[in-house]
Amino acid sequence: MSRAVPILLIVVACLLVLQIIDRWREPQQLRAVYEASQRAAAASERVAGELAALRLALQERPVPLPARGREEPSSGVRDGRPRLGVNFLLPYDRSHLRPELIGGTWRTFNATPKGFNPLLDNSADAGIAHDLVNDTLCMRHPATPDRWSACLAEAVIISDDWKTYTFKIRPGIFWQRPVQAALPGLEWLDRDVPLTANDFAFTLELIRRPEVECTALKSYYQDLASVETPDDLTLVLRWQRKVYTSLSASLGLAPLPRHIYGRHRDGSPIAAEQLGVVFNQHWFDELGGIVGVGAYILERNEPDRLVRFRRNPRHWGAGYHFAAIEWDAEVKLPDPQLVAFKRGQVHTHGLTPAQFKSQVIDRGEPRFAAPDPQDAHAGRRGEFGWEKVVSHSYSYIGWNLRRPLLADKRVRQALAHAFPKERILADVWFGLGRPQRGPVHIDSPYFDPSIPDFPYDLARARQLLTEAGWADSDRDGWLDRDLGQGRVPLRIVIKSHANNPTWDSALLIYRDELRALGIDLRVETYEWKEMLRILEQKDFDAVVGGWQLGDLEPDFMQLWHSSTIDQPRSSNHVGFAHPRVDELAERLREAFTPEERAPIIREIQRLIAEEQPYLFVRAGGGVFVWQNRGPYQPERWLAGVTEGLDRYHPFFNRTPLLWHFVRE
């Protein structure tokens, strides 16, 4: 027995050494997987090209086929406008895709998302990745964003006074196999798994579990009563009451891979009672994984360096024309990014306002065409194309209403009056973007232009601060007040994104204006991932932020309803609570017609503008640039860009459905 113990210890030590070596080899194994996947992707592209040629040859035969690109409606009127009792979905549109043009790698700049979990990570960068990798039950085309089309669901019937949604899911769709399937112990991922209604039911189960930290999504599904899966291709959602947001929450639902998120790393099922807690720290997320049923597969993820997606050869639908998409996450500063664009290292980009002024207006770069006041499209003439664009977004300075310094709305109104918005937009943004007023985008038909904008007025700001009890009691030049524990100065720390010279300049101007009032504004900058933590943990006095607005129909529950203030990952970062806004936001969800919704939205706008939880700054806009024309170079010049700019809705006209590389 005494001799057996040392032998057993030696065996255990050897096993530990082998485990350490295996962990050490994991990066090399991932690299080997990546190289193997590249070889497979190249082979897939060759096969795809041959199939495309075959399809084109078949299309040229005199055989009666449906109109190219659009599935034929089976019966009834399918115009994409929701109504009861019929399948109203527009047929899935493939008309943009020209198989002979598929190829090449589209490169652009983008930050590495903090994570790829579709429920937990709702940053704009993560959302772009989700759109590449996954699909939704129904979709909105960029040309008609107010109408719904078939996607993963071939049909949907809404019944029971808008409370029941019955989807028929497209057959023959399979989940992508993640690159992590080649790692030791994860071979069980290397198999065909069909998409079924149970994947959607699993997704909704996770969203509704209280322990899952997806506060931003929960408010959209709080009225969901039940989920039924009569068979693998039928999904039935039943809502407790008639709610307007149930339309987009139901039709726009994307599935989660149950065969991954429902299992431990060894492939064993996660116990039902542990599922929510385990999901918040899932092993697949720790490996940087993302998987879907969409047009692209995540092939490579090197944080803060490179993210690469390759075309999914088994995708059921019609994706973009690019064989691969790469995000350069290493070059972060605007000037080096511009240099890289000029060298052709990326194909699309956006100019900062200062770059637009120096490169285009002041003619610092002759390869950009000169502006022409008579021609809004003058930028299309140059080697580097440029065009002024708008986006469904706005930027703001958010005040943390939990902080006693900022709890009084008169202080927040004074801070708004001290912000020289028009001058900053003219001198810092050089006219790129318009003043935003309130929580509804200024181009929305629901926007109320009569709401106050708190114009620049230092005299009015001083008056409001005095009314709120702030004074320079010790004559040191700074306002102070007793907030219950002695007098404190009106000192605000504002946290902003690093590497953003436009906002740096705007905040310097703002700081000087506030100094004239006796307010001490201090600016701190952080990298994007740290900014996400700051927002999630509400770790700020004030913060520079922005919202990429999704649905064209306003909804105020996620950002402004008080029920989410203290929930993890809440979008109500500033802690806004207003009983009347809560009441109206809830009523809005029960209003279905524009005539019912408009007066509610107008009142909410007015109340939020009056309270000033945000200093609303700028409606989204900028200068989009692309590699436009020149002597032929493989994978250099983009065609189809201007066609998309002209054909699609202004908010969505940079969607790259029509883009492709110029062929020799």
Side-chain angles (χ1 to χ4, degrees):
M1 181 70 178
S2 61
R3 293 178 58 191
V5 171
I7 293 172
L8 182 59
L9 289 173
I10 291 169
V11 170
V12 170
C14 290
L15 289 172
L16 286 172
V17 170
L18 287 172
Q19 175 115 12
I20 291 168
I21 292 172
D22 189 52
R23 289 287 183 184
W24 175 80
R25 291 178 57 202
E26 192 168 280
Q28 288 106 318
Q29 292 164 340
L30 275 171
R31 170 66 67 178
V33 170
Y34 165 67
E35 292 173 352
S37 67
Q38 275 201 314
R39 292 192 295 271
S44 297
E45 289 171 21
R46 287 194 299 272
V47 173
E50 293 168 3
L51 288 173
L54 179 60
R55 281 197 297 270
L56 288 173
L58 288 172
Q59 288 172 358
E60 293 172 356
R61 293 183 181 182
V63 179
L65 292 173
R68 185 178 74 86
R70 191 177 285 278
E71 300 165 356
E72 287 296 302
S74 56
S75 63
V77 178
R78 297 176 62 174
D79 61 3
R81 302 186 187 281
R83 58 188 178 278
L84 297 174
V86 296
N87 178 28
F88 57 86
L89 296 176
L90 287 167
Y92 183 76
D93 190 352
R94 304 171 186 269
S95 62
H96 70 277
L97 187 65
R98 297 172 58 189
E100 72 276 13
L101 298 178
I102 294 173
T105 299
W106 168 35
R107 296 179 175 87
T108 189
F109 294 114
N110 218 332
T112 307
K114 180 183 176 184
F116 286 114
N117 188 299
L119 304 190
L120 305 182
D121 300 294
N122 62 351
S123 69
D125 299 315
I128 296 170
H130 300 158
D131 290 343
L132 289 173
V133 170
N134 212 358
D135 291 322
T136 51
L137 281 168
C138 310
M139 63 173 288
R140 288 165 166 166
H141 194 278
T144 54
D146 58 335
R147 303 190 188 192
W148 290 95
S149 301
C151 192
L152 295 178
E154 294 180 306
V156 60
I157 302 295
I158 306 176
S159 58
D160 190 23
D161 193 26
W162 303 91
K163 291 184 289 188
T164 301
Y165 294 71
T166 303
F167 296 91
K168 296 303 292 185
I169 296 169
R170 193 180 298 271
I173 299 176
F174 289 88
W175 287 98
Q176 301 161 1
R177 300 186 188 191
V179 67
Q180 290 83 2
L183 291 174
L186 295 180
E187 295 86 357
W188 57 274
L189 289 172
D190 192 16
R191 59 194 173 101
D192 281 341
V193 178
L195 173 73
T196 72
N198 291 309
D199 292 305
F200 294 95
F202 175 77
T203 305
L204 292 168
E205 178 189 356
L206 285 170
I207 292 173
R208 298 165 71 198
R209 280 181 175 252
E211 62 270 28
V212 174
E213 297 176 356
C214 60
T215 302
L217 286 173
K218 287 184 189 296
S219 66
Y220 294 98
Y221 295 95
Q222 61 189 15
D223 292 307
L224 184 63
S226 66
V227 181
E228 301 167 15
T229 55
D231 57 60
D232 282 350
L233 298 178
T234 305
L235 175 70
V236 182
L237 307 184
R238 301 188 188 278
W239 295 80
Q240 296 173 11
R241 59 195 178 104
K242 179 181 176 180
V243 182
Y244 187 81
T245 50
S246 66
L247 276 169
S248 57
S250 301
L251 302 177
L253 182 65
L256 271 177
R258 183 176 56 135
H259 67 288
I260 294 178
Y261 280 107
R263 295 182 178 276
H264 293 290
R265 182 166 177 152
D266 62 3
S268 61
I270 299 172
E273 64 275 10
Q274 299 176 348
L275 184 60
V277 174
V278 173
F279 180 78
N280 289 330
Q281 301 289 332
H282 200 274
W283 60 268
F284 190 62
D285 298 332
E286 293 173 355
L287 291 176
I290 178 174
V291 69
V293 293
Y296 286 86
I297 298 171
L298 178 67
E299 183 176 65
R300 187 172 172 186
N301 177 21
E302 299 179 18
D304 295 319
R305 188 171 179 273
L306 180 70
V307 182
R308 178 181 169 89
F309 306 87
R310 65 174 171 84
R311 210 166 194 276
N312 179 5
R314 302 182 66 185
H315 184 227
W316 63 273
Y320 303 151
H321 289 98
F322 303 109
I325 298 171
E326 286 187 358
W327 295 354
D328 183 333
E330 190 171 19
V331 182
K332 296 181 171 64
L333 295 173
D335 288 342
Q337 287 181 338
L338 178 59
V339 171
F341 171 78
K342 290 181 179 183
R343 291 175 176 171
Q345 293 171 224
V346 295
H347 300 99
T348 55
H349 188 41
L351 298 183
T352 68
Q355 289 171 342
F356 176 62
K357 174 72 162 55
S358 66
Q359 302 291 298
V360 180
I361 297 176
D362 295 341
R363 310 303 302 131
E365 173 52 77
R367 287 176 290 181
F368 288 116
D372 182 348
Q374 307 303 318
D375 183 2
H377 303 317
R380 302 179 182 184
R381 302 170 188 160
E383 180 177 324
F384 300 146
W386 67 269
E387 186 126 328
K388 289 185 179 181
V389 294
V390 296
S391 64
H392 197 211
S393 63
Y394 65 79
S395 58
Y396 64 88
I397 296 174
W399 311 114
N400 192 339
L401 276 59
R402 304 170 186 85
R403 303 289 167 92
L405 289 173
L406 299 162
D408 191 325
K409 75 175 181 182
R410 292 171 296 187
V411 173
R412 303 191 298 271
Q413 290 173 348
L415 291 167
H417 277 302
F419 189 80
K421 188 182 300 185
E422 297 285 353
R423 174 158 61 93
I424 285 175
L425 289 178
D427 295 348
V428 177
W429 267 278
F430 298 105
L432 298 176
R434 296 158 292 161
Q436 175 68 22
R437 287 188 282 165
V440 175
H441 194 281
I442 60 175
D443 287 329
S444 169
Y446 292 106
F447 173 68
D448 182 359
S450 70
I451 62 174
D453 194 27
F454 297 92
Y456 174 67
D457 187 341
L458 290 185
R460 178 57 179 155
R462 286 192 185 92
Q463 181 183 353
L464 287 165
L465 291 167
T466 300
E467 292 173 4
W470 292 92
D472 184 7
S473 64
D474 55 6
R475 305 292 182 183
D476 65 350
W478 303 107
L479 297 178
D480 56 77
R481 184 189 168 194
D482 189 345
L483 293 174
Q485 296 181 340
R487 300 193 74 85
V488 295
L490 186 45
R491 177 179 298 126
I492 302 169
V493 176
I494 186 167
K495 298 183 177 181
S496 181
H497 317 123
N499 308 320
N500 194 331
T502 307
W503 265 105
D504 292 344
S505 299
L507 292 175
L508 284 175
I509 294 172
Y510 192 31
R511 184 191 65 185
D512 291 343
E513 297 291 341
L514 292 179
R515 181 178 294 157
L517 294 173
I519 299 173
D520 183 11
L521 181 71
R522 302 185 177 184
V523 180
E524 297 177 356
T525 60
Y526 298 88
E527 293 292 335
W528 176 237
K529 290 181 182 178
E530 179 61 12
M531 282 297 296
L532 291 177
R533 182 203 66 78
I534 287 168
L535 289 168
E536 289 175 359
Q537 298 182 8
K538 293 84 175 174
D539 179 23
F540 60 89
D541 297 334
V543 65
V544 172
W547 287 114
Q548 183 68 46
L549 305 173
D551 204 312
L552 295 177
E553 286 286 335
D555 181 74
F556 299 91
M557 293 290 291
Q558 178 183 339
L559 297 186
W560 303 110
H561 198 279
S562 63
S563 61
T564 66
I565 285 176
D566 297 318
Q567 294 182 12
R569 304 176 192 257
S570 167
S571 298
N572 190 349
H573 310 302
V574 297
F576 179 76
H578 193 291
R580 179 62 176 166
V581 171
D582 285 353
E583 176 191 346
L584 290 168
E586 293 164 12
R587 277 179 49 196
L588 183 64
R589 288 201 164 181
E590 299 175 352
F592 269 64
T593 67
E595 293 75 20
E596 295 175 297
R597 295 173 61 77
I600 299 173
I601 294 170
R602 281 198 297 269
E603 185 175 354
I604 293 175
Q605 289 178 75
R606 188 165 294 278
L607 289 170
I608 292 176
E610 172 72 15
E611 291 292 325
Q612 281 292 294
Y614 289 176
L615 196 170
F616 296 95
V617 177
R618 173 178 170 269
V623 176
F624 172 68
V625 298
W626 68 96
Q627 305 288 346
N628 187 35
R629 62 179 66 186
Y632 174 74
Q633 298 178 45
E635 297 186 27
R636 176 66 186 268
W637 311 112
L638 285 176
V641 175
T642 57
E643 188 178 357
L645 290 170
D646 291 338
R647 283 176 52 180
Y648 296 159
H649 187 287
F651 286 159
F652 311 110
N653 61 7
R654 278 86 68 209
T655 305
L657 286 175
L658 300 170
W659 301 2
H660 59 85
F661 287 116
V662 172
R663 299 293 180 96
E664 190 172 15

